[in-house]
Short mmCIF file of all heavy atoms in Angstrom, two decimals:
data_model
loop_
_atom_site.label_atom_id
_atom_site.label_comp_id
_atom_site.label_asym_id
_atom_site.label_seq_id
_atom_site.Cartn_x
_atom_site.Cartn_y
_atom_site.Cartn_z
N ARG A 30 10.72 -25.96 -21.89
CA ARG A 30 9.61 -25.06 -21.74
C ARG A 30 8.96 -25.45 -20.29
O ARG A 30 8.65 -26.65 -20.01
CB ARG A 30 8.53 -25.41 -22.78
CG ARG A 30 9.24 -24.76 -24.21
CD ARG A 30 8.14 -25.05 -25.17
NE ARG A 30 7.77 -26.41 -25.22
CZ ARG A 30 6.51 -26.87 -25.94
NH1 ARG A 30 5.72 -25.95 -26.25
NH2 ARG A 30 6.31 -28.08 -26.07
N ALA A 43 -4.17 -7.01 -2.50
CA ALA A 43 -2.68 -7.22 -2.21
C ALA A 43 -2.43 -6.79 -0.82
O ALA A 43 -1.68 -7.50 -0.11
CB ALA A 43 -1.69 -6.40 -3.16
N GLN A 116 -1.67 -25.12 -28.98
CA GLN A 116 -0.87 -25.02 -30.32
C GLN A 116 0.57 -25.33 -30.04
O GLN A 116 1.27 -25.89 -30.92
CB GLN A 116 -1.16 -23.88 -31.05
CG GLN A 116 -2.63 -23.62 -31.53
CD GLN A 116 -2.97 -22.23 -31.90
OE1 GLN A 116 -2.26 -21.28 -31.93
NE2 GLN A 116 -4.27 -22.11 -32.22
N GLU A 168 -11.29 -25.71 -0.53
CA GLU A 168 -10.66 -26.97 -0.44
C GLU A 168 -11.06 -27.86 -1.49
O GLU A 168 -10.14 -28.70 -1.97
CB GLU A 168 -11.17 -27.57 0.94
CG GLU A 168 -10.69 -26.76 2.15
CD GLU A 168 -11.44 -27.19 3.49
OE1 GLU A 168 -12.21 -28.16 3.35
OE2 GLU A 168 -11.24 -26.47 4.41
N ALA A 195 -13.17 -17.76 -3.62
CA ALA A 195 -12.76 -16.88 -2.55
C ALA A 195 -11.76 -15.83 -2.99
O ALA A 195 -11.03 -16.01 -3.94
CB ALA A 195 -12.26 -17.65 -1.41
N LEU A 256 -27.29 -1.35 18.74
CA LEU A 256 -26.76 -0.95 17.40
C LEU A 256 -27.88 -0.98 16.33
O LEU A 256 -27.79 -0.49 15.27
CB LEU A 256 -25.56 -1.71 16.97
CG LEU A 256 -24.35 -1.60 17.89
CD1 LEU A 256 -23.18 -2.41 17.14
CD2 LEU A 256 -23.98 -0.29 18.09
#
Side-chain angles (χ1 to χ4, degrees):
R30 294 181 299 158
Q116 292 162 7
E168 296 167 1
L256 299 185

